Amino acid sequence: MTLGVYQLLYIIAAGSFILALMWMSSPATARRGVLTGEAGMLLAVVGTLLRHEVVNYDWIVAGLVIGSAIGIPIAIWMPMTQVPQRTAISQACGALASALIGTAEYYRQKPHGFEMGALGLEMLLGFLTTTASVMAFGKLNEMLPSRPITFKGQNIVNLSLLGVAAAIVGYLVVHPEASFLFPIFVTLAAVFGILLIIPIGGADMPTVIALLNSYAGLSACSMGFALDNKLLIIAGALDGSSGFILSIIMCRAMNRSFTNVLFGGFGQLQTSAGGGKEARPVRSATPEEAAGILADARSVVVIPGYGMAVAQAQHKIRELHDVLTKRGVEVRFAIHPVAGRMPGHMNVLLAEADVPYDKLVEMEDINSDMGMTDVALIVGANDIVNPAALNDPGSPIAGMPILDAYKSRTIMIIKRGMSAGFAGIDNELYYMDKTLMLFGDAKSFVASLVKEISSNHD
Amino acid sequence: MTLGVYQLLYIIAAGSFILALMWMSSPATARRGVLTGEAGMLLAVVGTLLRHEVVNYDWIVAGLVIGSAIGIPIAIWMPMTQVPQRTAISQACGALASALIGTAEYYRQKPHGFEMGALGLEMLLGFLTTTASVMAFGKLNEMLPSRPITFKGQNIVNLSLLGVAAAIVGYLVVHPEASFLFPIFVTLAAVFGILLIIPIGGADMPTVIALLNSYAGLSACSMGFALDNKLLIIAGALDGSSGFILSIIMCRAMNRSFTNVLFGGFGQLQTSAGGGKEARPVRSATPEEAAGILADARSVVVIPGYGMAVAQAQHKIRELHDVLTKRGVEVRFAIHPVAGRMPGHMNVLLAEADVPYDKLVEMEDINSDMGMTDVALIVGANDIVNPAALNDPGSPIAGMPILDAYKSRTIMIIKRGMSAGFAGIDNELYYMDKTLMLFGDAKSFVASLVKEISSNHD
Amino acid sequence: MTPRACEALIKLKLEVILEAGAGLDAGYPDEEYSRRGVRLGSRAQVFEEAAVVVQARAPGANPDGGGADLAALKPGQILIGFGEPMTALRETAEIAQRGVSFFAMEMVPRITRAQAMDALSSMASIAGYEAVLIGAVTLPKLMPMMMTAAGTLTPAKVLVLGAGVAGLQAIATAKRLGAVVSAYDVRSAVREQIESLGAKFVVLDIESAEGEGGYAKQMDEAYYRRQRELLAAVLREQDIVITTAAVPGRKAPILVTKEMAEAMLPGSVIVDLAAERGGNCELTQAGHTVVHQGVTIVGPVNLPSRAPYHASQMYGTNVVNLLKLMVNKEGALTINLDDEVIRGTLVTHEGKVVNPKVSQLLEAGVNA
Amino acid sequence: MTPRACEALIKLKLEVILEAGAGLDAGYPDEEYSRRGVRLGSRAQVFEEAAVVVQARAPGANPDGGGADLAALKPGQILIGFGEPMTALRETAEIAQRGVSFFAMEMVPRITRAQAMDALSSMASIAGYEAVLIGAVTLPKLMPMMMTAAGTLTPAKVLVLGAGVAGLQAIATAKRLGAVVSAYDVRSAVREQIESLGAKFVVLDIESAEGEGGYAKQMDEAYYRRQRELLAAVLREQDIVITTAAVPGRKAPILVTKEMAEAMLPGSVIVDLAAERGGNCELTQAGHTVVHQGVTIVGPVNLPSRAPYHASQMYGTNVVNLLKLMVNKEGALTINLDDEVIRGTLVTHEGKVVNPKVSQLLEAGVNA
Amino acid sequence: MNLEFGLYVFMLAAFLGFQLIRKVSPLLHTPLMSLTNAIASISVVGAILISGEKDASMLSRVLGFVAVVSATTNLVSGYLITDRMLKMFKKREPARK
Amino acid sequence: MNLEFGLYVFMLAAFLGFQLIRKVSPLLHTPLMSLTNAIASISVVGAILISGEKDASMLSRVLGFVAVVSATTNLVSGYLITDRMLKMFKKREPARK
Ligand SMILES: NC(=O)c1ccc[n+]([C@@H]2O[C@H](COP(=O)([O-])OP(=O)(O)OC[C@H]3O[C@@H](n4cnc5c(N)ncnc54)[C@H](OP(=O)(O)O)[C@@H]3O)[C@@H](O)[C@H]2O)c1
Ligand SMILES: NC(=O)c1ccc[n+]([C@@H]2O[C@H](COP(=O)([O-])OP(=O)(O)OC[C@H]3O[C@@H](n4cnc5c(N)ncnc54)[C@H](OP(=O)(O)O)[C@@H]3O)[C@@H](O)[C@H]2O)c1
Ligand SMILES: NC(=O)c1ccc[n+]([C@@H]2O[C@H](COP(=O)([O-])OP(=O)(O)OC[C@H]3O[C@@H](n4cnc5c(N)ncnc54)[C@H](O)[C@@H]3O)[C@@H](O)[C@H]2O)c1
Ligand SMILES: NC(=O)c1ccc[n+]([C@@H]2O[C@H](COP(=O)([O-])OP(=O)(O)OC[C@H]3O[C@@H](n4cnc5c(N)ncnc54)[C@H](O)[C@@H]3O)[C@@H](O)[C@H]2O)c1
């Protein structure tokens, strides 16, 4: 009825991981979350080193040092835009470790029964994730063709591959000494990982990586069962389930089907209204998500356009202004000279909704502030924020001054779909990394925002 | 490395409890949650009965039958309005069970060390919760005075009581055989439970019950540690933490301080502002209550007055109109010819808020409908609905036609206090049985109504 | 009197004769009346036959045709209309001499029950609205803010001086048009009322002056001087100034002096609703529009006649409501002097001036 | 040209001469200009010295003083202003002969980039607003609904025919005043725009007629007849009708015939913004107010001049934006014919009429 | 080993309880209170164990019996009433929309 | 006993992971992905155990060493980059309120 030091440390580490994930799910506490996660990991490593089973430190220390020597530069010099790639390659490392530990354990003990099953699952997931992550890395880095590659009977091939690998594990559970099967198993797992990624397009890669994450977690969890290590089970299970959910959420936010990502091969995107042009992915968000961001922002610039008028959303927008202002968020309205369809169109509507005149800012004045704006909330506007007016001399709106929404830290755009505005042209803004599309009728979407902010953020 | 049947059942039961809570947190899945919880409990009982330690079934079966015989009538015949009471008394039973089990275990084993500690905590929480729940039941049923009772040094008495009880447990941990101390400990715990509730007012009881719930859960959890039963630990911990959070949430929703409820003694009532006159009782209601009535009404007539203009509540009122209309409630506006302070005062404001003209009804036309109106919602109006104009020839407003709000089935009046309107006279309407006073600034009160209706009634 | 008002009278079992063509200007053709059972006749016929004569402007308030009407009145007749009894003392005295019972609509007491007869409020409402339209039309700017490709047009600033019924209506209308509206009144109690319309109350650092019955009381000259000084600064920023300040029975106070007007923005407009009572602006000429150093001063008279359709409707309703107090179920007329409204409104009765204020003034006039 | 616009020109390194007193009527005194570095001179001086002459109404659109101005123009000069090149063909031809490069502001192409120079839109905005004010002042009713002690005043009904820029602005302004607004346009595409201002779109059962560049195209007489029949029913319920229908370069279509107007409510008002182009109402007389069987038909001309302050501001900004396209960094003038806006706006250049539409019309005129 | 296990499980379950309830709708406060109350009747497991033991003393047996009775009361009434409450929500459902 | 334990813990942790992430803001998707990736490097614990064992074979040792290296790489870069990412958010933070 007493606890060893390492056991206590493990418990604390497990708690830290939970707190890390909890804090990580809100921007305000996210950094605290990471620090807690780091502390947890440190405790786990220290705890392990203190275990009396561990006696040979030289290899370990060498490993730790070399690993850090590789990891630190990656983290520091990898440009921010390449986070998905970084995660993919780091994933491959983690999964490889898991797979190798399984291999070592297999050769050491040749366990059977439940333990062999756990080990088999660990290795299957480990190897598969390793090769799959490398593939994802390749696709993201465009070292491999990023378009989805499909062939006839793909699913049958994949499934039978998986079936054979599972069968081998099954056989090993009963006859662990049949080690000649082992390399075959490893090969199958690795090939399966490759096949899994081939049919998935580059745009889905971030989601795939989140999913592989989940696999790596489950692999660690299986390892925990095999090695009888609770910390591994907890951390692995946490990781497995949160990674899984995260990949589902990301799918939803990016408007793609999760089953397609899971099984691949259907990586088609819905075609955007760009007509014949190649379809491009956009990120969309729900009212809840958007409300969270707005509620945490310091400054919001609302950019109303013709869509606000069509939806008659002016009253709702004033309400949004009210709830945000009450929270201490600075809300201003940027009025483009030709927003809407008649001179002063926005003015008449906003005046009707009793938005104070001093909250309306002219284009020239607000543009200089845009870079310091947390969120530009574009409500049914399109042409007047289209950067093509500045960048593309061939565009029909070239030369028109625009509201520089693209400069703000986060861009949210409420519109019903991907269709074009008055000028009939596509808008680069929609595809920016920091842009969230909020699809829906402006009036009802803003109403949901108001409701969400006033009920869940006070 | 194998599982007994009961262990498997326990695991499934634990999972069921988790799912029960998860589903219970959204109205759409709540019933599924309860069923799952029931199934989990069934599995737990069946699993326990199957354990080979359990050999004497007669007492158990008798107990189960008698327990059900008591429980079922309580559940079926207890009127819905008395759910808190029911919960309190049921709580007392549960906690008593926990406390008695601890007692039995103590006398059986006289354990020491960790186990004794766990047992002590179990019994402390168990006895305390038992008496506290009975007290809460008494206060709710008004068998005990529901107003808070405080005395000087209350906190010191409580704390020292608790301290002595804890010290006894501490002593027992080392000397479990000192059983003469045991009855003292039990008494202290029970008395502490009573003292805990005495200073808390009746209005806080639901929250207190949620908190006691949490204690009961923790008691079960301690039992799990003492008996080495994982299911008890899990269910107890789930219950303990969710009960705790729930009581905090309920406090927040009811606008009371959690620490006050926890430590009691601050539940004073506000006195109403009847001026110099003898104060007459009025019934007032919270936004939640008013929202419920409005949401369930079939027809609502809004009667705006000068107070709406002062509060500039016209936009909020239009929102209220919108959310109610969306629910299918018929909302009309009754405009009195001299509402406000200038001819057409209400018109200009409601037009600004874009209330459709056809929703505005003249006095003569609406008065004939008033008798069939479910709710007359009077927003900052006073003289124009004062029946004295009809009944009291001596009144300064005698002879003025009024809006016959008094005829409607329910009357709700939003104003800041009990002060008079332009004519400076009191209003009989406020004291009618079917009248609810909604005290607050019209704008913010209507805003809460809107929020409440849109978030909790859809 | 609108056709509908006549209908209401007929429902009271009264017979109604109307001067032919009287409703035409306000958009009510004769057919509308006759269809409802109104008898049409000449003006002379009306005076000859009617027991109650209802006019908008009774002799006292009608310098043009008033004399002729006065002569046509018969003893025992009831006359209802605006008649300025506090200023048109001579006409009032004559009406009394003729034995006519004269109900002056401006004398309707300002009590709650009398609101339905309060034609002053009705007319002031219309005047406030029309004043803003005059201001908007005269102003060389647009009222609302507009952000357009050709630059941003700033909203017009409107200041309303005196927030009685007319002033409040002016505030509401100017707000509607998108102007930035502020208002000032000596009675600080109206601050809440001004703000209840979404306008700003201009705080001047002088004390309040609320008299009995909602009317402002007459203040001394020092007070007005101080007020003017403080106002001057506010005026300099306005595009439109609408003045409605009145103290009943007296000449309107001068709120905007010549110097103050001269200091205003070029192109700005003053609409002086007190023009008929001498004006709140020194430069006002009743019935005329004056341009002085770039500032346009409009001194409109009889503003309600600019919206005759609705003005007639409101006035008609007010009169009908007053008549309801005098008509019993059989349609017979009685003058119940116990009724506060009747007593307050009745100026001359049975050959005498019965309103104490008016008779006081008359005596003072005779003495002077 | 406002003082601010002149300042903007001076920033472009241009020298600015202004006819003395030109800004006065709009509320811009001469001092404001000279303070900003503008040289003041006589009209003759301006024509004599300037390389670019900016007018509001160039000779074609100015029957009064246009002739004199025409004579004062010098070869090589640039003239900017409204000049009705499609109708004032004679003047246009003469400007061409004089070797003047004439930019007609009404020819600014309706492309996105040219919105900042689109003076037609600017002026239409003001016209739409002023039209409603005229309607409101003329109407014998109040616009908003009012429920008062003297009865309920129903809101005025306003119908806007033609929902271009002016029409939309009229809708917005009438809504502001509290009227019940509906609107109709042949281009069914504007339905959404009308509704986006909270007004009702009147659906007539005939097909759409949208031409190139947002202008309506000319339809045949059968079409207009059918339109009129259906409209007549709608018109009968209106208090104010504001017509803004125009087809560029042609006489305005008749939307409201004599019979239709006669069937309208007595007291109702028609404000015809197309008065200058012949009017959308058969009874319209440009520049005059006609009362026909109780219906008042107002045919205002040059409405923007009723809000000269803001009209000048907008027009000035438009012209400055146009000039920016012609001035290089050193302040030198160049006419870049590759620029779509320049090419579209330029009517006469180097002695010839360069606008294809205008020259077609000219030829047709010569042939006829 | 037991303690370690207990602590892990306690920690996880407590976190989970917290996370699950954190965002519950106020409409469900009362039913939820009732449900958690019912779950607390898990002590019936302990009661059964105590009273069903082979060599239980009379004291244990009596205490165990009382414990079974009261825990069962809690259990049965707790679940039933939660269910009844939720049924009332359900009833309002179809009438709406 | 071990299996029972494992299953309890797995179940609780899996639920917890699900609950924790369910309502995360989309802004945090990428950092969160990075963090869960870093947490997956918990396999370093297994790697240490394998390679630190007293009587480990050469194979175990080599595999273990490689595993330690790659797990550490994952761990270090995972945490550092998450932190870096969040620092970019943070920069905006202090300016608030
Ligand atoms: N102001 C003027 O005087 C004037 C006059 C004529 C032309 N214009 C031109 O009009 C344009 C104005 O730009 P803008 O950005 O205001 O409008 P815009 O470019 O026409 O874009 C409006 C956007 O609103 C969205 N929308 C429409 N209805 C909506 C609804 N109910 N809810 C949510 N979104 C809705 C549409 O996208 P979805 O369909 O995907 O929802 C559309 O992309 C400019 O190109 C300008 O040149 C202006
Ligand atoms: N329409 C006209 O032309 C005109 C002109 C002059 C006078 N009047 C007179 O004005 C009166 C109008 O009647 P009414 O019923 O509209 O008004 P009222 O009788 O004056 O009553 C207004 C009520 O609103 C409440 N109130 C004030 N501010 C509020 C706020 N911010 N939030 C919530 N409630 C607020 C006040 O109670 P609390 O202080 O308790 O909140 C007050 O009792 C009549 O007596 C009429 O004769 C009318
Ligand atoms: N009780 C009722 O039923 C009833 C009926 C109608 C009106 N009223 C009230 O009576 C009041 C007066 O109404 P009115 O429109 O006939 O008033 P009014 O025409 O007599 O005066 C107009 C306004 O000018 C203000 N004023 C006077 N001298 C001023 C000065 N030197 N500077 C600035 N402002 C000055 C007055 O305070 C008043 O508000 C209003 O508040 C109205 O609400 C009450
Ligand atoms: N792309 C741009 O940048 C830009 C710039 C300015 C204006 N526009 C658009 O151009 C369009 C026209 O603007 P405008 O105000 O100069 O138009 P206009 O003055 O030429 O015509 C006014 C309106 O009358 C309508 N009309 C014509 N014949 C009619 C008939 N028989 N019955 C009813 N209505 C009739 C037209 O459809 C038009 O809407 C507007 O939709 C405007 O939004 C576009």
Side-chain angles (χ1 to χ4, degrees), chain A residues 335-338 343-344 347-348 351 354 357 360-362, chain C residues 143-149 151-152 155 175 178-180:
Chain A
I335 310 297
H336 190 279
V338 298
N347 292 117
V348 63
D354 224 16
Y357 278 160
L360 311 186
V361 190
E362 290 182 63
Chain C
M143 296 275 267
M145 179 192 230
M146 273 189 211
M147 292 167 157
T148 75
T152 294
K175 275 283 291 179
V180 174

Side-chain angles (χ1 to χ4, degrees), chain C residues 204 227-238 260 263:
Chain C
L204 299 187
Q227 187 188 28
R228 287 194 290 259
E229 278 166 24
L230 293 163
L231 264 181
V234 182
L235 285 173
R236 262 196 286 276
E237 297 173 354
Q238 305 300 325
M260 287 161 81

Side-chain angles (χ1 to χ4, degrees), chain A residues 419-434:
Chain A
S419 42
F422 186 83
I425 54 173
D426 203 2
N427 194 332
E428 269 307 309
L429 202 64
Y430 301 164
Y431 308 105
M432 287 177 73
D433 271 348
K434 56 185 179 180

